[in-house]
DNA sequence: AATCCACAGGAAGCCCGGGAAC
DNA sequence: GTTCCCGGGCTTCCTGTGGATT
């Protein structure tokens, strides 16, 4: 390689390049714009329900359904902000709390988080749950106030820890003397209601609002609105936004994906010092977003899952026949012996495989092979080479690279 | 029709680290 | 220090199962 030609002028190009962005923040998920296109109906519907908090009345609990990237979270947060602002102007005490149940996914932690939102100090573990509950109730009831609690991804919480928390929260009003509480549950799962106990079902979804996926044209409006703020004028071809919208619309109208796509396209173009964003950048952005999320997911896997995944890769490379749970477990065990790691039971491995399946790293289907039993058929759905490198990067997996798996007798 | 394989996946309970309260 | 709680990772034990084989 000729260093003189390849690197000469590198600083000039960095200094003189014109950034395409005015503000990248506008394209991030955390940004809440002043206007939310194509959600007027839902906003009005929800505002009507929540407005009773401003009249110091008990307001209904609400369940919001919709797939990811349909604006559920952003609309709820927007409304809470507005509610608090209006209440402050009117001199009415209203407080809102937002909890993401994907992270806060046990009864204890939800209550602990809520208590902390209201200024209580509760350790993240140690107390009996009912004590945390009491602390929270007392903290709420110290003054007359309306309280709105958003439980985002509430389906995850119920799936993991049952619906006791929801039951307790919805029942809380009968215990409160001064404060009034209402709950907004947000769920990605449209069938979520069916998993709930009948009592909880009726009390949580006194009102329900469905957020339909955006279609390509609506996504375009959203992107246009943000792009005006995010980019300098005239930095992209006019079909870039329709393209991003169309690509995202194919994936059930996920606005978040559309925004990511636009932002990353811009970043790629900027890094190349391109004067404009073109289709080429969008295509590349799409590939990169997909690859990055896989690599990140694999990198953050616990060691045991990494070894497990590594054995799937080795088997996949041999391509002898369809991979089953038993095959993977055999190879996994010998890898563990070689590295000195504990060998987990097949039961546990079965769960880890389900997790990998859920993450979309492998694809597995349970099939029955008659006399030859019931098992999972497994295959990798991510690029083999890429994740192999990520796995071999892990120091703890040292010593298993270039591992020759023992031949397994054929069944 | 009965059998049997190779697991899937539920239930219960253990162990550990983290923490509070006494 | 002892005793209590919580949650996560894990094991043990278990029942269930679809269809080829007997």
């Amino acid at each position: 390689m000729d260093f003189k030609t390849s690197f000469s002028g590198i600083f000039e190009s960095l200094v003189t390049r014109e950034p395409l962005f005015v503000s990248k923040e506008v394209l991030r998920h955390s940004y809440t714009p002043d206007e939310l296109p194509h959600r007027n109906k839902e906003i009005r519907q929800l505002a009507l329900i929540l407005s009773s908090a401003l009249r110091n009345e008990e307001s209904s609990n609400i369940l919001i359904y919709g797939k990811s990237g349909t604006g559920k979270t952003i609309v709820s947060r927007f409304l809470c902000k507005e509610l608090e602002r209006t209440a402050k102007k009117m001199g009415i005490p209203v407080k809102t709390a937002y909890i993401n149940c994907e992270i806060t996914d046990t009864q204890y932690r939800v209550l602990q988080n809520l208590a902390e939102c209201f200024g209580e100090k509760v350790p993240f573990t140690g107390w009996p749950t009912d004590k945390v509950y009491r602390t929270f109730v007392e903290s709420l009831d110290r003054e007359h106030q309306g309280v709105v609690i958003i439980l985002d991804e509430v389906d995850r919480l119920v799936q993991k820890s049952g619906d006791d928390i929801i039951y307790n929260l919805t029942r809380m009003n009968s215990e409160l003397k001064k404060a009034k509480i209402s709950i907004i549950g947000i769920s990605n799962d449209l069938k979520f209601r069916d998993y709930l106990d009948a009592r909880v079902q009726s009390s949580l979804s006194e009102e329900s609002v469905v957020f339909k996926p955006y279609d390509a044209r609506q996504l375009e409006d959203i992107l246009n609105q943000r792009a005006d703020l995010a980019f300098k004028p005239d930095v992209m071809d006019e079909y870039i936004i329709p393209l991003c919208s169309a690509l995202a619309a194919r994936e059930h109208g996920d606005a978040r994906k559309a925004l990511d796509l636009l932002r990353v396209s811009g970043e790629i173009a900027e890094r190349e010092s391109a004067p404009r964003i073109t289709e080429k950048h969008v295509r590349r952005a799409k590939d990169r977003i997909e690859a990055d999320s896989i690599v990140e997911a694999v990198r953050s896997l616990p060691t045991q899952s990494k070894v497990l995944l590594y054995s799937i890769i080795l088997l996949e490379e041999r391509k002898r026949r369809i991979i089953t749970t038993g095959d993977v477990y055999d190879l996994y065990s010998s890898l563990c012996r070689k590295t000195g790691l504990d060998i987990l039971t097949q039961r546990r491995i079965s769960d880890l495989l389900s997790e990998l399946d859920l993450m979309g790293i492998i694809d597995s289907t349970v099939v029955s092979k008659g006399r030859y039993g019931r098992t999972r058929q497994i295959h990798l759905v991510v690029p083999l080479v890429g994740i192999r490198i990520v796995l071999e990067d892990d120091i703890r997996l040292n010593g298993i690279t270039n591992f020759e798996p023992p031949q397994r007798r054929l069944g």
Side-chain angles (χ1 to χ4, degrees):
Chain A
M1 193 198 259
D2 184 348
F3 281 83
K4 267 181 203 146
T5 52
S6 55
F7 287 124
S8 73
I10 181 168
F11 287 109
E12 281 158 51
S13 75
L14 286 173
V15 174
T16 53
R17 85 173 169 191
E18 290 268 324
L20 305 169
F21 287 100
V22 177
S23 157
K24 248 178 233 177
E25 286 312 303
V26 179
L27 296 177
R28 293 195 192 278
H29 312 154
S30 48
Y31 178 81
T32 313
D34 297 331
E35 281 189 35
L36 301 166
H38 302 291
R39 285 295 175 240
N40 290 339
K41 199 184 86 206
E42 289 81 1
I43 291 174
R44 241 181 260 126
Q45 198 180 346
L46 288 166
L48 187 67
I49 304 167
L50 289 174
S51 60
S52 37
L54 292 172
R55 291 190 298 273
N56 210 4
E57 294 162 9
E58 202 170 296
S59 68
S60 306
N61 298 320
I62 309 169
L63 198 50
I64 300 177
Y65 301 102
K67 297 207 169 148
S68 55
T70 50
K72 304 181 298 293
T73 306
I74 203 166
V75 164
S76 329
R77 298 196 87 152
F78 170 81
L79 281 167
C80 282
K81 211 168 75 181
E82 279 296 300
L83 185 66
E84 278 189 341
R85 198 177 58 82
T86 316
K88 198 172 169 192
K89 218 159 65 184
M90 294 167 67
I92 302 166
V94 171
K95 274 189 193 154
T96 64
Y98 172 88
I99 298 215
N100 185 337
C101 300
E102 201 189 353
I103 301 154
T104 311
D105 58 359
T106 64
Q107 162 147 256
Y108 184 93
R109 283 221 257 275
V110 169
L111 290 169
Q112 185 239 350
N113 251 286
L114 286 172
E116 288 204 329
C117 286
F118 288 84
E120 300 293 329
K121 272 200 164 170
V122 178
F124 72 87
T125 173
W127 284 10
T129 307
D130 62 325
K131 182 174 171 182
V132 186
Y133 180 82
R134 290 256 64 86
T135 307
F136 176 52
V137 170
E138 279 161 26
S139 163
L140 280 186
D141 224 10
R142 221 162 279 147
E143 51 185 307
H144 287 277
Q145 58 180 341
V147 174
V148 178
I149 295 171
I150 304 179
L151 298 175
D152 203 351
E153 316 223 17
V154 66
D155 43 332
R156 295 291 189 94
L157 176 65
V158 171
Q159 196 181 40
K160 191 157 172 268
S161 314
D163 55 10
D164 288 359
I165 317 124
I166 318 279
Y167 179 69
N168 289 331
L169 285 176
T170 51
R171 224 186 30 149
M172 205 176 264
N173 270 323
S174 57
E175 280 188 63
L176 293 167
K177 293 184 187 70
K178 296 180 185 164
K180 291 187 177 87
I181 179 175
S182 64
I183 303 182
I184 303 180
I186 302 180
S187 164
N188 287 314
D189 186 349
L190 299 165
K191 291 191 303 261
F192 166 67
R193 235 182 80 110
D194 304 341
Y195 308 144
L196 296 172
D197 188 280
R199 296 168 309 184
V200 183
Q201 219 178 80
S202 56
S203 59
L204 179 61
S205 53
E206 289 165 332
E207 307 272 355
S208 60
V209 179
V210 178
F211 280 54
K212 293 215 185 84
Y214 296 109
D215 63 30
R217 201 151 345 121
Q218 293 171 331
L219 285 174
E220 252 177 65
D221 289 340
I222 294 171
L223 289 187
N224 272 318
Q225 174 211 31
R226 303 273 189 111
D228 285 347
L229 299 168
F231 293 104
K232 290 188 171 173
D234 197 33
V235 294
M236 62 177 90
D237 296 337
E238 75 259 28
Y239 54 80
I240 293 301
I241 285 181
L243 176 62
C244 290
S245 312
L247 287 172
R250 257 195 283 176
E251 308 211 8
H252 62 260
D254 189 336
R256 234 178 284 174
K257 287 218 174 106
L259 288 166
D260 280 341
L261 202 52
L262 190 59
R263 177 173 52 82
V264 176
S265 306
E267 284 170 358
I268 290 177
E270 203 171 73
R271 204 160 310 149
E272 285 184 355
S273 310
R276 295 168 74 76
I277 303 170
T278 64
E279 179 177 348
K280 187 181 73 185
H281 299 126
V282 178
R283 301 278 173 204
R284 229 180 289 158
K286 183 170 180 283
D287 292 343
R288 216 190 76 191
I289 290 171
E290 282 162 13
D292 279 3
S293 71
I294 293 164
V295 166
E296 208 27 64
V298 171
R299 203 193 301 280
S300 55
L301 243 31
T303 310
Q304 290 286 355
S305 300
K306 281 185 179 170
V307 179
L308 184 61
L309 186 55
Y310 199 75
S311 38
I312 295 172
I313 290 179
L314 291 181
L315 288 170
E316 190 92 13
E317 278 176 348
R318 285 159 73 202
K319 270 277 183 239
R320 284 281 163 71
R321 56 184 169 143
I322 294 161
I323 304 168
T324 66
T325 305
D327 302 336
V328 178
Y329 190 69
D330 283 354
L331 183 48
Y332 156 82
S333 309
S334 30
L335 286 181
C336 282
R337 266 190 289 276
K338 178 134 183 178
T339 47
L341 277 164
D342 291 343
I343 303 175
L344 302 181
T345 55
Q346 185 153 332
R347 178 69 189 82
R348 180 65 188 143
I349 291 303
S350 175
D351 280 346
L352 293 182
L353 284 172
S354 303
E355 277 172 31
L356 290 178
D357 188 19
L358 218 66
M359 293 171 75
I361 295 175
I362 62 170
D363 180 34
S364 72
T365 35
V366 178
V367 293
S368 186
K369 293 189 294 179
R371 192 70 198 245
Y372 303 108
R374 243 158 87 83
T375 183
R376 270 204 188 85
Q377 290 188 338
I378 299 160
H379 72 265
L380 215 55
V381 286
V382 292
L384 193 146
V385 185
I387 59 168
R388 185 174 179 150
I389 292 167
V390 177
L391 290 175
E392 287 173 354
D393 229 23
D394 194 316
I395 291 169
R396 288 161 299 188
L397 268 59
N398 259 340
I400 58 171
T401 48
N402 302 321
F403 178 75
E404 251 325 293
Q407 296 297 313
R408 191 184 190 229
R409 67 220 146 4
L410 293 169

